[in-house]
Amino acid sequence: MAFQHLITELTPLLQEYGYVILALAIAVEGMGIPAPGQSFLIVASFLSASGTMSLPLILIVAGVSAFVGNSCGYLIGRKFGHVVERKQWIKPPTLKKLHAFIGKYGVIGLLMSRFVEGIKQFICLGCGMAEMPAAKFYIGNFVAVILWLLVFGVAPAMLHDEIGPILGFYHHYQIWFWSAAAGLLILLIIAFIVLMVRRRRLTTTASED
């Protein structure tokens, strides 16, 4: 959807229903129900640049709604995953792709999924169905929501005039973009672990001397 068309379609809804529709759209999206939550966030952020909406309030509403909606999706998947699978509420090809994605990337996949259409709507249900440990999910969910808010909540307000071309480029190359970002994050984690191991060894050696 072209950005100008997005603004034309969603601005009247935000003007009439405000932060309520923003919260609902984002929350239900996290539960596996297709909804234009991210699109509402982008347009709301864009409108905040002209003073129509408050950016801090947008970020609070969107952040809380995303975290709660994602958590509900995870719990539904964990408690009622067998029902979801039996009733085929998620199409079998999508479910297969989802399990493969979670199995391959784990919590990193949870971070990446917020930025990949077709995966983000069902990733939390999938994490619950795959019985990802709760602590790992909630930490990953929190980090993913923060990154998502920075990209789609803060950036549109800061890049008010350039957001259209940027979003077009992003949607065309989003898989490559987030694969590279995930790779960089993994490298940073590995580097941190190596550094900590070396420091521990040096400390142990010094204490033995």
Side-chain angles (χ1 to χ4, degrees), residues 65-93:
S65 301
F67 187 85
V68 171
N70 293 347
S71 299
C72 289
Y74 170 77
L75 293 173
I76 291 170
R78 186 144 188 155
K79 299 292 184 184
F80 306 105
H82 60 287
V83 177
V84 173
E85 195 165 356
R86 188 174 67 249
K87 297 289 187 180
Q88 293 191 2
W89 290 343
I90 302 177
K91 294 179 180 179

PDB file of all heavy atoms in Angstrom, residues 65-93:
ATOM      1  N   SER A  65       0.110  -1.853  24.203  1.00  0.00           N
ATOM      2  CA  SER A  65      -0.812  -2.687  23.419  1.00  0.00           C
ATOM      3  C   SER A  65      -0.073  -3.829  22.737  1.00  0.00           C
ATOM      4  O   SER A  65      -0.564  -4.967  22.711  1.00  0.00           O
ATOM      5  CB  SER A  65      -1.533  -1.837  22.366  1.00  0.00           C
ATOM      6  OG  SER A  65      -2.252  -0.792  22.971  1.00  0.00           O
ATOM      7  N   ALA A  66       1.095  -3.529  22.175  1.00  0.00           N
ATOM      8  CA  ALA A  66       1.876  -4.563  21.493  1.00  0.00           C
ATOM      9  C   ALA A  66       2.346  -5.626  22.477  1.00  0.00           C
ATOM     10  O   ALA A  66       2.221  -6.829  22.218  1.00  0.00           O
ATOM     11  CB  ALA A  66       3.073  -3.932  20.770  1.00  0.00           C
ATOM     12  N   PHE A  67       2.875  -5.191  23.624  1.00  0.00           N
ATOM     13  CA  PHE A  67       3.390  -6.155  24.604  1.00  0.00           C
ATOM     14  C   PHE A  67       2.259  -7.032  25.146  1.00  0.00           C
ATOM     15  O   PHE A  67       2.395  -8.259  25.220  1.00  0.00           O
ATOM     16  CB  PHE A  67       4.080  -5.431  25.754  1.00  0.00           C
ATOM     17  CG  PHE A  67       4.774  -6.359  26.707  1.00  0.00           C
ATOM     18  CD1 PHE A  67       6.064  -6.796  26.457  1.00  0.00           C
ATOM     19  CD2 PHE A  67       4.129  -6.824  27.850  1.00  0.00           C
ATOM     20  CE1 PHE A  67       6.707  -7.673  27.324  1.00  0.00           C
ATOM     21  CE2 PHE A  67       4.761  -7.704  28.722  1.00  0.00           C
ATOM     22  CZ  PHE A  67       6.055  -8.124  28.454  1.00  0.00           C
ATOM     23  N   VAL A  68       1.137  -6.416  25.499  1.00  0.00           N
ATOM     24  CA  VAL A  68       0.007  -7.173  26.047  1.00  0.00           C
ATOM     25  C   VAL A  68      -0.599  -8.092  24.981  1.00  0.00           C
ATOM     26  O   VAL A  68      -0.884  -9.270  25.240  1.00  0.00           O
ATOM     27  CB  VAL A  68      -1.065  -6.213  26.606  1.00  0.00           C
ATOM     28  CG1 VAL A  68      -2.333  -6.982  26.983  1.00  0.00           C
ATOM     29  CG2 VAL A  68      -0.525  -5.461  27.818  1.00  0.00           C
ATOM     30  N   GLY A  69      -0.787  -7.553  23.767  1.00  0.00           N
ATOM     31  CA  GLY A  69      -1.355  -8.365  22.688  1.00  0.00           C
ATOM     32  C   GLY A  69      -0.472  -9.549  22.346  1.00  0.00           C
ATOM     33  O   GLY A  69      -0.957 -10.676  22.179  1.00  0.00           O
ATOM     34  N   ASN A  70       0.836  -9.319  22.258  1.00  0.00           N
ATOM     35  CA  ASN A  70       1.780 -10.402  21.971  1.00  0.00           C
ATOM     36  C   ASN A  70       1.758 -11.453  23.080  1.00  0.00           C
ATOM     37  O   ASN A  70       1.819 -12.655  22.820  1.00  0.00           O
ATOM     38  CB  ASN A  70       3.205  -9.851  21.835  1.00  0.00           C
ATOM     39  CG  ASN A  70       3.371  -8.957  20.622  1.00  0.00           C
ATOM     40  OD1 ASN A  70       2.507  -8.924  19.751  1.00  0.00           O
ATOM     41  ND2 ASN A  70       4.471  -8.241  20.568  1.00  0.00           N
ATOM     42  N   SER A  71       1.707 -10.983  24.327  1.00  0.00           N
ATOM     43  CA  SER A  71       1.690 -11.906  25.467  1.00  0.00           C
ATOM     44  C   SER A  71       0.421 -12.751  25.472  1.00  0.00           C
ATOM     45  O   SER A  71       0.467 -13.954  25.768  1.00  0.00           O
ATOM     46  CB  SER A  71       1.811 -11.119  26.781  1.00  0.00           C
ATOM     47  OG  SER A  71       3.022 -10.401  26.825  1.00  0.00           O
ATOM     48  N   CYS A  72      -0.703 -12.138  25.129  1.00  0.00           N
ATOM     49  CA  CYS A  72      -1.958 -12.888  25.033  1.00  0.00           C
ATOM     50  C   CYS A  72      -1.871 -13.936  23.923  1.00  0.00           C
ATOM     51  O   CYS A  72      -2.326 -15.074  24.090  1.00  0.00           O
ATOM     52  CB  CYS A  72      -3.132 -11.945  24.768  1.00  0.00           C
ATOM     53  SG  CYS A  72      -3.583 -10.908  26.178  1.00  0.00           S
ATOM     54  N   GLY A  73      -1.276 -13.542  22.789  1.00  0.00           N
ATOM     55  CA  GLY A  73      -1.086 -14.480  21.690  1.00  0.00           C
ATOM     56  C   GLY A  73      -0.238 -15.671  22.110  1.00  0.00           C
ATOM     57  O   GLY A  73      -0.542 -16.825  21.781  1.00  0.00           O
ATOM     58  N   TYR A  74       0.826 -15.390  22.866  1.00  0.00           N
ATOM     59  CA  TYR A  74       1.709 -16.451  23.362  1.00  0.00           C
ATOM     60  C   TYR A  74       0.949 -17.405  24.284  1.00  0.00           C
ATOM     61  O   TYR A  74       1.054 -18.632  24.156  1.00  0.00           O
ATOM     62  CB  TYR A  74       2.886 -15.818  24.104  1.00  0.00           C
ATOM     63  CG  TYR A  74       3.746 -16.787  24.878  1.00  0.00           C
ATOM     64  CD1 TYR A  74       4.678 -17.603  24.229  1.00  0.00           C
ATOM     65  CD2 TYR A  74       3.623 -16.893  26.267  1.00  0.00           C
ATOM     66  CE1 TYR A  74       5.461 -18.499  24.948  1.00  0.00           C
ATOM     67  CE2 TYR A  74       4.412 -17.777  26.992  1.00  0.00           C
ATOM     68  CZ  TYR A  74       5.330 -18.576  26.331  1.00  0.00           C
ATOM     69  OH  TYR A  74       6.101 -19.461  27.044  1.00  0.00           O
ATOM     70  N   LEU A  75       0.168 -16.842  25.205  1.00  0.00           N
ATOM     71  CA  LEU A  75      -0.590 -17.667  26.155  1.00  0.00           C
ATOM     72  C   LEU A  75      -1.664 -18.490  25.452  1.00  0.00           C
ATOM     73  O   LEU A  75      -1.906 -19.651  25.812  1.00  0.00           O
ATOM     74  CB  LEU A  75      -1.209 -16.777  27.237  1.00  0.00           C
ATOM     75  CG  LEU A  75      -0.205 -16.100  28.176  1.00  0.00           C
ATOM     76  CD1 LEU A  75      -0.914 -15.110  29.087  1.00  0.00           C
ATOM     77  CD2 LEU A  75       0.566 -17.132  28.996  1.00  0.00           C
ATOM     78  N   ILE A  76      -2.313 -17.899  24.459  1.00  0.00           N
ATOM     79  CA  ILE A  76      -3.317 -18.641  23.680  1.00  0.00           C
ATOM     80  C   ILE A  76      -2.658 -19.816  22.966  1.00  0.00           C
ATOM     81  O   ILE A  76      -3.173 -20.940  22.981  1.00  0.00           O
ATOM     82  CB  ILE A  76      -4.010 -17.704  22.656  1.00  0.00           C
ATOM     83  CG1 ILE A  76      -4.895 -16.690  23.386  1.00  0.00           C
ATOM     84  CG2 ILE A  76      -4.839 -18.524  21.664  1.00  0.00           C
ATOM     85  CD1 ILE A  76      -5.428 -15.585  22.503  1.00  0.00           C
ATOM     86  N   GLY A  77      -1.495 -19.549  22.351  1.00  0.00           N
ATOM     87  CA  GLY A  77      -0.779 -20.612  21.658  1.00  0.00           C
ATOM     88  C   GLY A  77      -0.331 -21.710  22.609  1.00  0.00           C
ATOM     89  O   GLY A  77      -0.368 -22.893  22.270  1.00  0.00           O
ATOM     90  N   ARG A  78       0.079 -21.315  23.796  1.00  0.00           N
ATOM     91  CA  ARG A  78       0.592 -22.292  24.780  1.00  0.00           C
ATOM     92  C   ARG A  78      -0.540 -23.148  25.358  1.00  0.00           C
ATOM     93  O   ARG A  78      -0.373 -24.351  25.564  1.00  0.00           O
ATOM     94  CB  ARG A  78       1.304 -21.546  25.896  1.00  0.00           C
ATOM     95  CG  ARG A  78       2.002 -22.466  26.876  1.00  0.00           C
ATOM     96  CD  ARG A  78       3.284 -21.872  27.366  1.00  0.00           C
ATOM     97  NE  ARG A  78       4.033 -22.836  28.151  1.00  0.00           N
ATOM     98  CZ  ARG A  78       5.345 -22.810  28.320  1.00  0.00           C
ATOM     99  NH1 ARG A  78       6.047 -21.883  27.707  1.00  0.00           N
ATOM    100  NH2 ARG A  78       5.957 -23.697  29.042  1.00  0.00           N
ATOM    101  N   LYS A  79      -1.689 -22.511  25.630  1.00  0.00           N
ATOM    102  CA  LYS A  79      -2.799 -23.233  26.276  1.00  0.00           C
ATOM    103  C   LYS A  79      -3.728 -23.912  25.271  1.00  0.00           C
ATOM    104  O   LYS A  79      -4.277 -24.978  25.551  1.00  0.00           O
ATOM    105  CB  LYS A  79      -3.616 -22.257  27.134  1.00  0.00           C
ATOM    106  CG  LYS A  79      -2.828 -21.600  28.254  1.00  0.00           C
ATOM    107  CD  LYS A  79      -2.425 -22.596  29.318  1.00  0.00           C
ATOM    108  CE  LYS A  79      -1.722 -21.892  30.484  1.00  0.00           C
ATOM    109  NZ  LYS A  79      -1.242 -22.859  31.504  1.00  0.00           N
ATOM    110  N   PHE A  80      -3.917 -23.269  24.117  1.00  0.00           N
ATOM    111  CA  PHE A  80      -4.912 -23.771  23.170  1.00  0.00           C
ATOM    112  C   PHE A  80      -4.332 -24.024  21.782  1.00  0.00           C
ATOM    113  O   PHE A  80      -5.064 -24.014  20.793  1.00  0.00           O
ATOM    114  CB  PHE A  80      -6.076 -22.772  23.063  1.00  0.00           C
ATOM    115  CG  PHE A  80      -6.695 -22.425  24.387  1.00  0.00           C
ATOM    116  CD1 PHE A  80      -6.429 -21.192  24.980  1.00  0.00           C
ATOM    117  CD2 PHE A  80      -7.520 -23.324  25.044  1.00  0.00           C
ATOM    118  CE1 PHE A  80      -6.986 -20.870  26.212  1.00  0.00           C
ATOM    119  CE2 PHE A  80      -8.089 -23.008  26.266  1.00  0.00           C
ATOM    120  CZ  PHE A  80      -7.815 -21.781  26.860  1.00  0.00           C
ATOM    121  N   GLY A  81      -3.022 -24.270  21.719  1.00  0.00           N
ATOM    122  CA  GLY A  81      -2.362 -24.488  20.432  1.00  0.00           C
ATOM    123  C   GLY A  81      -2.949 -25.662  19.666  1.00  0.00           C
ATOM    124  O   GLY A  81      -3.080 -25.604  18.432  1.00  0.00           O
ATOM    125  N   HIS A  82      -3.334 -26.713  20.383  1.00  0.00           N
ATOM    126  CA  HIS A  82      -3.897 -27.892  19.729  1.00  0.00           C
ATOM    127  C   HIS A  82      -5.225 -27.566  19.052  1.00  0.00           C
ATOM    128  O   HIS A  82      -5.557 -28.117  17.994  1.00  0.00           O
ATOM    129  CB  HIS A  82      -4.085 -29.023  20.750  1.00  0.00           C
ATOM    130  CG  HIS A  82      -5.000 -28.674  21.889  1.00  0.00           C
ATOM    131  ND1 HIS A  82      -4.627 -27.797  22.903  1.00  0.00           N
ATOM    132  CD2 HIS A  82      -6.268 -29.066  22.164  1.00  0.00           C
ATOM    133  CE1 HIS A  82      -5.639 -27.689  23.762  1.00  0.00           C
ATOM    134  NE2 HIS A  82      -6.634 -28.437  23.330  1.00  0.00           N
ATOM    135  N   VAL A  83      -5.996 -26.651  19.671  1.00  0.00           N
ATOM    136  CA  VAL A  83      -7.277 -26.239  19.087  1.00  0.00           C
ATOM    137  C   VAL A  83      -7.023 -25.416  17.826  1.00  0.00           C
ATOM    138  O   VAL A  83      -7.684 -25.613  16.796  1.00  0.00           O
ATOM    139  CB  VAL A  83      -8.103 -25.423  20.099  1.00  0.00           C
ATOM    140  CG1 VAL A  83      -9.405 -24.946  19.452  1.00  0.00           C
ATOM    141  CG2 VAL A  83      -8.391 -26.243  21.344  1.00  0.00           C
ATOM    142  N   VAL A  84      -6.072 -24.479  17.911  1.00  0.00           N
ATOM    143  CA  VAL A  84      -5.717 -23.637  16.762  1.00  0.00           C
ATOM    144  C   VAL A  84      -5.292 -24.502  15.584  1.00  0.00           C
ATOM    145  O   VAL A  84      -5.705 -24.274  14.439  1.00  0.00           O
ATOM    146  CB  VAL A  84      -4.573 -22.665  17.136  1.00  0.00           C
ATOM    147  CG1 VAL A  84      -4.088 -21.914  15.899  1.00  0.00           C
ATOM    148  CG2 VAL A  84      -5.042 -21.679  18.207  1.00  0.00           C
ATOM    149  N   GLU A  85      -4.497 -25.547  15.887  1.00  0.00           N
ATOM    150  CA  GLU A  85      -3.996 -26.427  14.829  1.00  0.00           C
ATOM    151  C   GLU A  85      -5.113 -27.304  14.266  1.00  0.00           C
ATOM    152  O   GLU A  85      -5.213 -27.474  13.045  1.00  0.00           O
ATOM    153  CB  GLU A  85      -2.874 -27.300  15.390  1.00  0.00           C
ATOM    154  CG  GLU A  85      -2.051 -27.987  14.324  1.00  0.00           C
ATOM    155  CD  GLU A  85      -0.751 -28.533  14.868  1.00  0.00           C
ATOM    156  OE1 GLU A  85      -0.437 -28.312  16.065  1.00  0.00           O
ATOM    157  OE2 GLU A  85      -0.032 -29.190  14.086  1.00  0.00           O
ATOM    158  N   ARG A  86      -5.959 -27.837  15.136  1.00  0.00           N
ATOM    159  CA  ARG A  86      -7.032 -28.719  14.690  1.00  0.00           C
ATOM    160  C   ARG A  86      -8.077 -27.971  13.872  1.00  0.00           C
ATOM    161  O   ARG A  86      -8.574 -28.474  12.861  1.00  0.00           O
ATOM    162  CB  ARG A  86      -7.689 -29.393  15.894  1.00  0.00           C
ATOM    163  CG  ARG A  86      -8.690 -30.488  15.497  1.00  0.00           C
ATOM    164  CD  ARG A  86      -9.242 -31.248  16.679  1.00  0.00           C
ATOM    165  NE  ARG A  86     -10.078 -30.433  17.538  1.00  0.00           N
ATOM    166  CZ  ARG A  86      -9.761 -30.061  18.761  1.00  0.00           C
ATOM    167  NH1 ARG A  86      -8.609 -30.415  19.290  1.00  0.00           N
ATOM    168  NH2 ARG A  86     -10.592 -29.316  19.484  1.00  0.00           N
ATOM    169  N   LYS A  87      -8.418 -26.748  14.309  1.00  0.00           N
ATOM    170  CA  LYS A  87      -9.421 -25.948  13.600  1.00  0.00           C
ATOM    171  C   LYS A  87      -8.848 -25.255  12.363  1.00  0.00           C
ATOM    172  O   LYS A  87      -9.587 -24.645  11.591  1.00  0.00           O
ATOM    173  CB  LYS A  87      -9.999 -24.889  14.542  1.00  0.00           C
ATOM    174  CG  LYS A  87     -10.747 -25.445  15.747  1.00  0.00           C
ATOM    175  CD  LYS A  87     -12.068 -26.067  15.352  1.00  0.00           C
ATOM    176  CE  LYS A  87     -12.870 -26.461  16.586  1.00  0.00           C
ATOM    177  NZ  LYS A  87     -14.175 -27.077  16.230  1.00  0.00           N
ATOM    178  N   GLN A  88      -7.503 -25.343  12.207  1.00  0.00           N
ATOM    179  CA  GLN A  88      -6.808 -24.721  11.082  1.00  0.00           C
ATOM    180  C   GLN A  88      -7.081 -23.212  11.006  1.00  0.00           C
ATOM    181  O   GLN A  88      -7.314 -22.648   9.935  1.00  0.00           O
ATOM    182  CB  GLN A  88      -7.183 -25.397   9.760  1.00  0.00           C
ATOM    183  CG  GLN A  88      -6.684 -26.828   9.669  1.00  0.00           C
ATOM    184  CD  GLN A  88      -6.818 -27.433   8.280  1.00  0.00           C
ATOM    185  OE1 GLN A  88      -7.249 -26.786   7.334  1.00  0.00           O
ATOM    186  NE2 GLN A  88      -6.441 -28.693   8.156  1.00  0.00           N
ATOM    187  N   TRP A  89      -7.081 -22.560  12.195  1.00  0.00           N
ATOM    188  CA  TRP A  89      -7.221 -21.113  12.222  1.00  0.00           C
ATOM    189  C   TRP A  89      -5.996 -20.451  11.587  1.00  0.00           C
ATOM    190  O   TRP A  89      -6.080 -19.332  11.103  1.00  0.00           O
ATOM    191  CB  TRP A  89      -7.402 -20.633  13.674  1.00  0.00           C
ATOM    192  CG  TRP A  89      -8.734 -21.029  14.228  1.00  0.00           C
ATOM    193  CD1 TRP A  89      -9.823 -21.440  13.510  1.00  0.00           C
ATOM    194  CD2 TRP A  89      -9.135 -21.056  15.601  1.00  0.00           C
ATOM    195  NE1 TRP A  89     -10.879 -21.732  14.351  1.00  0.00           N
ATOM    196  CE2 TRP A  89     -10.485 -21.507  15.641  1.00  0.00           C
ATOM    197  CE3 TRP A  89      -8.494 -20.746  16.796  1.00  0.00           C
ATOM    198  CZ2 TRP A  89     -11.190 -21.645  16.837  1.00  0.00           C
ATOM    199  CZ3 TRP A  89      -9.207 -20.892  17.979  1.00  0.00           C
ATOM    200  CH2 TRP A  89     -10.528 -21.332  17.992  1.00  0.00           C
ATOM    201  N   ILE A  90      -4.867 -21.155  11.648  1.00  0.00           N
ATOM    202  CA  ILE A  90      -3.690 -20.755  10.880  1.00  0.00           C
ATOM    203  C   ILE A  90      -3.529 -21.801   9.787  1.00  0.00           C
ATOM    204  O   ILE A  90      -3.489 -23.004  10.071  1.00  0.00           O
ATOM    205  CB  ILE A  90      -2.417 -20.715  11.753  1.00  0.00           C
ATOM    206  CG1 ILE A  90      -2.605 -19.743  12.923  1.00  0.00           C
ATOM    207  CG2 ILE A  90      -1.214 -20.300  10.923  1.00  0.00           C
ATOM    208  CD1 ILE A  90      -1.431 -19.697  13.874  1.00  0.00           C
ATOM    209  N   LYS A  91      -3.438 -21.371   8.537  1.00  0.00           N
ATOM    210  CA  LYS A  91      -3.343 -22.306   7.418  1.00  0.00           C
ATOM    211  C   LYS A  91      -2.105 -23.194   7.580  1.00  0.00           C
ATOM    212  O   LYS A  91      -1.047 -22.716   8.000  1.00  0.00           O
ATOM    213  CB  LYS A  91      -3.277 -21.546   6.096  1.00  0.00           C
ATOM    214  CG  LYS A  91      -4.570 -20.785   5.778  1.00  0.00           C
ATOM    215  CD  LYS A  91      -4.462 -20.035   4.479  1.00  0.00           C
ATOM    216  CE  LYS A  91      -5.756 -19.279   4.166  1.00  0.00           C
ATOM    217  NZ  LYS A  91      -5.652 -18.516   2.897  1.00  0.00           N
ATOM    218  N   PRO A  92      -2.230 -24.502   7.275  1.00  0.00           N
ATOM    219  CA  PRO A  92      -1.106 -25.440   7.454  1.00  0.00           C
ATOM    220  C   PRO A  92       0.217 -24.979   6.845  1.00  0.00           C
ATOM    221  O   PRO A  92       1.260 -25.114   7.497  1.00  0.00           O
ATOM    222  CB  PRO A  92      -1.625 -26.725   6.789  1.00  0.00           C
ATOM    223  CG  PRO A  92      -3.108 -26.650   6.968  1.00  0.00           C
ATOM    224  CD  PRO A  92      -3.450 -25.195   6.838  1.00  0.00           C
ATOM    225  N   PRO A  93       0.244 -24.421   5.610  1.00  0.00           N
ATOM    226  CA  PRO A  93       1.527 -23.952   5.069  1.00  0.00           C
ATOM    227  C   PRO A  93       2.144 -22.835   5.914  1.00  0.00           C
ATOM    228  O   PRO A  93       3.358 -22.803   6.131  1.00  0.00           O
ATOM    229  CB  PRO A  93       1.166 -23.446   3.665  1.00  0.00           C
ATOM    230  CG  PRO A  93      -0.092 -24.159   3.312  1.00  0.00           C
ATOM    231  CD  PRO A  93      -0.828 -24.302   4.605  1.00  0.00           C
TER     232      PRO A  93
END
